Amino acid sequence: MKNSNETTAHRVTITLDSAKLPVDEQARNALLTEFRSRVGHLVEGLRGIDAEQDDIDISTGYRYAQVPATCPFCSDRLDLQSVHLDTGNGALASAVCSSEECNWSGDAVYRIIDLEGGESDAFESSVLTGDIAPSYPPY
């Protein structure tokens, strides 16, 4: 049985959709600063969460996740080979650590994070223009 006092680092994501924020940048930044402070005070009152105000990030718009193309064991560069489309929203590529001392290999996972296109030579992000909205499924 695991010790009930053990902890591990995790990310907590709070998403607030359809927030009507001020257009004025200074007013919007003041509101976001106040929001960050209030969230920080709530976190301070929770037992079991040891977080500092600097650990809290408040931003607007969409975000995407990415990981570096480095080996998860030794941090050397990964060699990516043979990309294969999967049956869903992305692809897989064979990944092998470039270090001769490390034997790590696996798959790099790719997902479509945006669609860029346009009616002219200027390509625009479909996410930034609001034509599509990303989803955030858990791992």
Side-chain angles (χ1 to χ4, degrees):
M1 179 176 197
K2 287 191 172 195
N3 180 349
S4 62
N5 292 329
E6 287 185 46
T7 62
T8 184
H10 283 285
R11 173 179 295 262
V12 174
T13 303
I14 299 170
T15 303
L16 178 61
D17 285 322
S18 301
K20 302 294 184 199
L21 299 174
V23 174
D24 179 72
E25 187 176 355
Q26 189 174 9
R28 183 176 57 246
N29 287 340
L31 180 65
L32 294 174
T33 298
E34 181 182 353
F35 185 71
R36 180 176 180 256
S37 176
R38 288 186 183 203
V39 169
H41 290 302
L42 288 173
V43 171
E44 287 173 7
L46 294 174
R47 279 187 279 159
I49 296 182
D50 183 23
E52 301 292 326
Q53 187 75 21
D54 291 342
D55 294 333
I56 299 170
D57 180 40
I58 303 290
S59 62
T60 60
Y62 295 109
R63 303 183 115 191
Y64 62 90
Q66 69 181 27
V67 296
T70 57
C71 177
F73 287 169
C74 73
S75 299
D76 274 14
R77 178 183 49 83
L78 289 176
D79 292 326
L80 302 175
Q81 308 154 352
S82 62
V83 175
H84 308 287
L85 296 177
D86 67 14
T87 58
N89 179 359
L92 301 171
S94 298
V96 179
C97 181
S98 62
S99 170
E100 303 223 355
E101 291 82 39
C102 183
N103 292 321
W104 188 90
S105 66
D107 286 327
V109 179
Y110 292 87
R111 292 288 177 257
I112 297 172
I113 61 166
D114 199 354
L115 297 172
E116 294 180 347
E119 296 179 5
S120 65
D121 290 341
F123 285 94
E124 292 182 308
S125 161
S126 295
V127 172
L128 289 178
T129 60
D131 294 329
I132 58 173
S135 63
Y136 296 91
Y139 277 79

